[in-house]
């Protein structure tokens, strides 16, 4: 179909056509960026933790009054928890992947290095790798004689070269030229020798996917007084019951203590990503609202034009135009308007993304989202204009003789 008559008609309705083009452009810009951000949030929420999530739980307690020997209290609590039916493994640890508390430190390759090579997440607790079900890919786990209490700084300093386990991703970043086993790193003021490499273990707090598995496991016994929690592993079908029994066991040891938190790990993870989930939901609702408003705008404008052009449509029908010709006319007209809006919207989408990158350090909008957004708006425009176009195609030729 020759588009020149259509463009000529649109020039006579310049204001209404311009408003529709701007509406489509704004929708294209916002929806492309919103879809990208939704995808980014969803991929963040799906990041693997590296642990058997359905089997784990955490209990955090706070003591009232004098604590006494915190080491002995911790050993007593762990013994009581191991007696709970259904408990497969238990320890006191400092952090969980995507948990509420994050322990980090700068890592250097030697003590002469002034600034850290990388910031790493720290995990410790006696037998933590077994409780968290971490898969060892090289080297070994810690032996019982290598564990020291986290608050026993004298013993840790006297130990000289302590040992550590690192994730496979961190090992490759630190020593890309060879194996990390047996190599020494400096974490804080402690020199550590890498004795084991685990498959993966997500950090407690993740700012970017690049540092997701920049984590180190240390052989330090944690205590609740230092902010540690009881990490328990049980079968998924018994996890809820084990959690309740474990809380009761701790209260039986000391009825005065306060249970600050008792959660299954899936709930812990859900709380960590609550903001991302809310953001994705909000952006999804806004995008759907914009698409609905744009579709209603197309329907309203097309219906208005059909009402204005009934006599011209009747004349075309009287001159031999088929119903399909009238239908195709309005669909082509809408396609041209949508195309102009989409081209302008792509430029706006790129500009909005540059602002978001500068203000909020978001990643660059992939070019794939632009053609996908364009196709979506073209389809939306054709569907929205279909009903008015069908009404126009049903105008009989006799309308040309009226008036």
């Amino acid at each position: 179909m020759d588009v020149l008559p259509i463009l000529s008609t649109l020039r006579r309705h310049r204001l209404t056509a311009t408003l529709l083009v701007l509406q489509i452009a704004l929708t294209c810009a916002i929806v492309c960026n919103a879809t990208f951000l939704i995808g980014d949030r969803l991929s963040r929420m799906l990041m693997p933790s590296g642990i058997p999530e359905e089997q784990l739980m955490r209990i955090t307690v706070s003591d009232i009054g004098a604590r006494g020997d915190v080491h002995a209290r911790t050993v007593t609590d762990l013994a009581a928890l191991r007696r709970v039916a259904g408990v497969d493994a238990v320890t006191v640890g400092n952090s969980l992947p995507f948990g509420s508390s994050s322990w980090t430190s700068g890592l250097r390759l030697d003590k002469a290095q002034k600034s850290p090579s990388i910031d790493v997440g720290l995990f410790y607790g006696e037998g933590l790798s077994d409780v968290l079900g971490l898969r060892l890919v090289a080297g070994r786990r810690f032996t019982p004689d290598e564990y020291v209490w986290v608050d026993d700084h004298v013993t840790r300093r006297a130990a000289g070269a302590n040992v550590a386990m690192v994730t496979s991703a961190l090992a490759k970043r630190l020593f890309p030229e060879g194996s990390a086993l047996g190599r020494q790193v400096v974490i804080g003021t402690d020199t550590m020798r890498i004795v084991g490499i685990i498959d993966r273990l997500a950090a407690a707090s993740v700012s970017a996917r690049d540092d997701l598995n920049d984590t180190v496991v240390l052989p330090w016994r944690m205590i609740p007084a230092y902010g540690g929690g009881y990490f328990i592993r049980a079968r998924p079908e018994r996890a809820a019951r084990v959690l309740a029994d474990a809380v009761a066991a701790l209260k039986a040891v000391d009825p005065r203590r306060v249970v600050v938190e008792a959660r299954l790990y899936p709930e812990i993870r859900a709380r960590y990503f609550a903001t991302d989930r809310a953001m994705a939901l909000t952006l999804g609702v806004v995008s759907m609202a914009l698409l609905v408003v744009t579709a209603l705008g197309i329907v309203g404008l097309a219906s208005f034009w059909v009402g204005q052009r009934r006599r011209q449509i009747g004349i075309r029908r009287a001159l031999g135009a088929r119903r399909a010709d009238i239908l195709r006319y309005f669909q082509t007209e809408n396609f041209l308007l949508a195309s102009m809006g989409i081209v302008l919207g792509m430029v706006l989408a790129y500009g909005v993304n540059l602002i978001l990158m500068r203000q909020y350090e978001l990643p660059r909008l992939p070019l794939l989202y632009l053609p996908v957004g364009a196709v979506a708006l073209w389809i939306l425009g054709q569907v929205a204009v279909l009903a008015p176009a069908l009404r126009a195609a049903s105008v009989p030729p006799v309308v040309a003789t009226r008036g």
Side-chain angles (χ1 to χ4, degrees):
M1 177 184 291
D2 190 0
V3 300
L4 293 180
I6 299 177
L7 293 176
S8 177
T9 302
L10 291 177
R11 279 196 296 269
R12 291 197 296 270
H13 301 85
R14 191 175 291 111
L15 178 59
T16 52
T18 301
L19 291 176
L20 183 59
V21 168
L22 292 177
Q23 183 180 14
I24 294 174
L26 183 62
T27 300
C28 179
I30 294 177
V31 169
C32 285
N33 279 281
T35 304
F36 168 59
L37 292 176
I38 291 172
D40 181 71
R41 296 297 97 179
L42 291 178
S43 65
R44 174 180 164 84
M45 292 165 57
L46 295 174
M47 291 188 297
S49 62
I51 62 177
E53 300 183 3
E54 298 297 327
Q55 303 178 31
L56 293 172
M57 62 203 77
R58 178 178 66 193
I59 302 174
T60 305
V61 299
S62 179
D63 293 323
I64 297 177
R67 292 171 177 166
D69 187 342
V70 293
H71 295 172
R73 286 173 58 85
T74 301
V75 173
T76 301
D77 289 343
L78 291 175
L81 290 174
R82 292 189 181 101
R83 290 193 295 268
V84 174
V87 171
D88 293 333
V90 61
T91 189
V92 180
N94 66 321
S95 295
L96 283 173
F98 313 130
S100 58
S101 60
S102 175
W103 299 59
T104 61
S105 178
L107 183 148
R108 296 173 291 162
L109 297 180
D110 58 71
K111 286 191 174 182
Q113 186 177 334
K114 294 184 178 180
S115 58
S117 300
I118 192 172
D119 290 328
V120 296
L122 303 180
F123 290 84
Y124 35 89
E126 186 171 10
L128 183 68
S129 62
D130 294 322
V131 176
L132 298 186
L134 304 181
R135 189 170 71 89
L136 192 69
V137 297
R140 64 174 177 84
R141 301 183 190 274
F142 302 135
T143 58
D145 62 300
E146 290 173 330
Y147 283 98
V148 295
W149 289 102
V150 66
D151 57 341
D152 195 351
H153 300 285
V154 175
T155 302
R156 282 164 45 195
R157 298 294 184 274
N162 293 326
V163 293
M165 289 191 291
V166 301
T167 59
S168 178
L170 180 60
K172 291 179 181 178
R173 291 185 65 178
L174 295 175
F175 307 103
E177 75 286 352
S179 174
L181 289 177
R183 307 290 286 269
Q184 289 190 344
V185 294
V186 180
I187 301 176
T189 57
D190 296 295
T191 300
M192 304 289 180
R193 178 169 50 88
I194 299 175
V195 297
I197 299 177
I198 55 180
D199 183 22
R200 63 177 61 185
L201 176 61
S205 179
V206 180
S207 58
R209 288 165 185 77
D210 293 339
D211 62 2
L212 173 63
N213 289 287
D214 290 344
T215 51
V216 178
V217 181
L218 302 176
W220 296 349
R221 296 187 186 96
M222 190 60 179
I223 53 178
Y226 267 43
Y230 297 96
F231 300 164
I232 304 171
R233 180 160 56 85
R235 294 182 180 180
E237 64 273 12
R238 304 186 62 180
R241 180 61 185 174
V242 168
L243 180 61
D245 292 344
V247 171
L250 290 175
K251 295 288 287 185
V253 173
D254 184 0
R256 296 182 304 168
R257 76 174 74 205
V258 177
V259 177
V260 178
E261 178 192 50
R263 301 185 191 279
L264 300 175
Y265 183 80
E267 184 182 353
I268 295 174
R269 179 178 179 126
R271 287 167 64 90
Y272 181 82
F273 290 110
T275 302
D276 298 282
R277 188 165 50 252
M279 179 180 176
L281 179 61
T282 301
L283 290 175
V285 172
V286 170
S287 299
M288 289 300 300
L290 278 173
L291 292 173
V292 170
V293 169
T294 301
L296 292 176
I298 294 172
V299 171
L301 184 59
S303 299
F304 173 72
W305 281 345
V306 169
Q308 276 195 329
R309 301 173 184 173
R310 286 181 61 86
R311 185 176 179 83
Q312 292 90 326
I313 295 171
I315 293 173
R316 289 196 60 192
R317 291 296 309 279
L319 294 176
R322 299 169 301 169
R323 292 168 57 94
D325 296 328
I326 304 300
L327 181 65
R328 188 165 59 248
Y329 175 91
F330 280 93
Q331 289 179 322
T332 304
E333 184 180 64
N334 178 266
F335 182 83
L336 293 174
L337 289 171
S339 298
M340 288 185 278
I342 289 169
V343 171
L344 180 58
M346 288 183 176
V347 177
L348 288 175
Y350 186 75
V352 170
N353 180 247
L354 290 178
I355 296 174
L356 294 175
M357 289 173 58
R358 182 175 303 175
Q359 297 295 328
Y360 302 102
E361 299 183 357
L362 293 177
R364 184 180 297 276
L365 176 68
L367 295 179
L368 176 64
Y369 283 86
L370 298 180
V372 171
V375 171
L377 285 171
W378 273 322
I379 294 175
L380 176 69
Q382 292 302 302
V383 172
V385 81
L386 184 60
L390 288 173
R391 287 200 301 272
S394 64
V395 174
V398 71
V399 171
T401 64
R402 294 178 182 171

